[in-house]
Amino acid sequence: MGTPPAPQVSDLRCLSKCAGLRSGVAGSKVALTGKHLADVKKVQFTARKKWVAVKPDAAAKTIVRATVPDAARTGKVGVVDAFANHATSPTQLHIVDHLPPVSGFKLRRATATPGKAFYDGRRNPHLSYVFSARKPADVRINVIREHTGGYVVRSYVRRDAQPNAENGLTWDGENEHGAPAPNGAYRFSITPLGGRKTSTDADARFRFFQYEFPVRARHAYGDGLAAGRGHQGQDVMASCGTKLVAASGGRVYYRKYQSRAGNYVVINTYHGRSMMYAHLKHPALVRKGQRVHTGEKIGVVGETGDATVCHLHFELWSKPGWYQGGRVTNPTDDLKRWDKWS
C-alpha cells in the first residue's frame, strides 16, 4: 500500500508564553504548519546534545502543536512521523531565559467590522482595539478560525502599540501561505508578546466567506444546466432592475451584447475559473480588463437577448476559463451554497 507523503514544515510560530512571534521559554506552546503532519509522533527541539524530543500536544494535516521542553535551546524545530520521515522548520525558535514584563496590559475593547466579509471584497475584516498599560507594548494579533480548537489562520505582531488609544489591523483574508482562508466563523485575539493569556472580545468575532451570491434581492431558481440544448448555466429569477454583484473577485475578460445572451459580462476570477453573467438590463457597469472585487456591483437583472422573463443566467467555467480551454461546470450547488450565507 505504500506510505503517506513525508511531512513538510513551512512555518513555525509561538502560540502562548511568548517573547516574540518565534521566541519563547520552556513551557511555551508552539505550532508548526505545513503539509502531511497528521502522522507526526515526535517534535524535536535543538538542545545541548543535538536534539530533545517530545510528543506533540496535537497533530492534524496542516498543523502540529507542542510544548517547549526544559532542555530546548535556540535552533530549528523538527518533526518525525510514524514512518520515520523527518522535516525541519525553515526558521529558528529563539529560546530566552525569561519573558519580558507585560506592563499591566489589559484589553479594554476589541471590535471587528464588518460582521460578514468576503475574500477580495469591498471591505476586508478590520480589527479596532484599545488596551491599557503603563507603556507602549508589543502586541500579537491572531486571526483564529472558530470551532477548530483555536486554529490560528494568520498571526501578526505590532511593535510599540499605544495604550489607551485606538489601534487597528486589517486582514486580507489570506492564511500564512497566501491562500484564501476557509469559509466560516472567525475571531481576532490580542495578546502582549510577553503575556501568558490571550484576550479577546465578543465583538471581535466575524464571519468570512470566499464568494457572495450575485443576485441581491428576492429571487427563485429557474432552469439549470440540463434544461435544454445549449443551456450551459443556472437561471436565477428576479425582478428587472435587481442589483447584480460579482460572486468572486477577478478581472473582466469579456463585455458584449449577443442575440441570445443579451448584455453579458465574463469575469476571470482569482482562482482561475470564469463566471459569466447574462441578460443584464443594460451593458455591464465594468469594462473589459477592469479589476473587480467580490461583491462589487456589475449591473442589474434584465431580459435582454433570448429571454422572456427577467432573470440572471449564470455560467461557471473551469480553469483556464470561458472559451480559453476550460469547460462548463454545473453552478447550481455552488450558487445555493453561496445563497445560504449571503
Side-chain angles (χ1 to χ4, degrees):
M1 293 180 62
T3 59
Q8 300 176 28
V9 178
S10 57
D11 197 12
L12 160 73
R13 61 177 180 266
C14 183
L15 299 178
S16 65
K17 293 181 64 178
C18 303
L21 187 61
R22 296 178 180 85
S23 180
V25 296
S28 293
K29 303 288 186 180
V30 299
L32 296 100
T33 54
K35 297 180 180 179
H36 317 305
L37 301 175
D39 293 313
V40 167
K41 300 302 180 185
K42 290 193 297 184
V43 179
Q44 296 179 323
F45 293 84
T46 300
R48 194 180 301 276
K49 293 184 177 180
K50 194 172 182 180
W51 297 102
V52 57
V54 299
K55 291 183 178 180
D57 297 332
K61 288 193 294 185
T62 59
I63 187 168
V64 172
R65 295 182 178 87
T67 302
V68 178
D70 290 339
R73 298 290 185 270
T74 295
K76 295 184 177 182
V77 180
V79 296
V80 183
D81 69 10
F83 307 94
N85 295 310
H86 294 249
T88 305
S89 64
T91 56
Q92 290 187 338
L93 174 67
H94 294 272
I95 303 299
V96 298
D97 293 333
H98 61 275
L99 297 176
V102 298
S103 302
F105 181 100
K106 185 174 182 179
L107 184 67
R108 294 297 182 183
R109 176 171 58 81
T111 306
T113 54
K116 179 168 61 179
F118 297 89
Y119 180 73
D120 193 31
R122 295 159 293 176
R123 294 179 64 197
N124 287 327
H126 179 78
L127 169 70
S128 296
Y129 65 99
V130 176
F131 67 92
S132 59
R134 291 190 292 274
K135 61 181 181 179
D138 293 339
V139 175
R140 181 180 42 195
I141 300 168
N142 289 334
V143 182
I144 297 174
R145 191 178 178 201
E146 300 272 43
H147 315 305
T148 58
Y151 176 71
V152 177
V153 174
R154 188 78 172 268
S155 190
Y156 300 86
V157 172
R158 291 292 181 262
R159 300 290 183 184
D160 294 324
Q162 295 299 312
N164 306 308
E166 191 82 22
N167 294 277
L169 178 137
T170 300
W171 177 46
D172 61 8
E174 296 180 351
N175 63 19
E176 297 282 6
H177 311 295
N183 302 320
Y186 286 79
R187 63 182 169 90
F188 288 108
S189 71
I190 304 96
T191 311
L193 284 184
R196 296 167 180 255
K197 184 179 180 181
T198 296
S199 298
T200 190
D201 190 292
D203 290 335
R205 288 177 163 81
F206 62 97
R207 293 184 296 155
F208 175 81
F209 303 101
Q210 293 187 19
Y211 303 90
E212 185 167 358
F213 189 74
V215 180
R216 305 311 304 156
R218 180 177 293 184
H219 57 273
Y221 289 87
D223 292 337
L225 191 66
R229 182 179 177 184
H231 198 263
Q232 299 186 129
Q234 173 66 53
D235 291 341
V236 181
M237 323 306 290
S239 299
C240 275
T242 297
K243 179 180 176 181
L244 291 176
V245 303
S248 175
R251 195 168 295 278
V252 178
Y253 177 67
Y254 231 69
R255 175 186 181 269
K256 290 280 188 177
Y257 180 92
Q258 196 248 8
S259 60
R260 293 185 62 187
N263 292 308
Y264 73 99
V265 61
V266 179
I267 297 174
N268 287 345
T269 64
Y270 68 87
H271 44 62
R273 299 190 294 178
S274 290
M275 295 179 178
M276 184 264 214
Y277 308 77
H279 304 309
L280 277 65
K281 185 175 182 178
H282 309 292
L285 299 175
V286 290
R287 306 178 307 276
K288 183 176 180 179
Q290 181 178 333
R291 178 75 167 85
V292 178
H293 294 280
T294 305
E296 183 174 339
K297 185 177 180 180
I298 58 174
V300 298
V301 170
E303 53 181 339
T304 55
D306 186 13
T308 57
V309 295
C310 299
H311 72 284
L312 167 68
H313 173 84
F314 180 82
E315 294 182 10
L316 186 60
W317 288 65
S318 66
K319 296 179 182 181
W322 185 81
Y323 293 110
Q324 300 162 75
R327 60 180 178 82
V328 173
T329 62
N330 192 339
T332 305
D333 289 344
D334 288 290
L335 283 168
K336 290 184 176 180
R337 185 167 58 254
W338 308 340
D339 200 356
K340 289 179 181 179
W341 63 58
S342 296

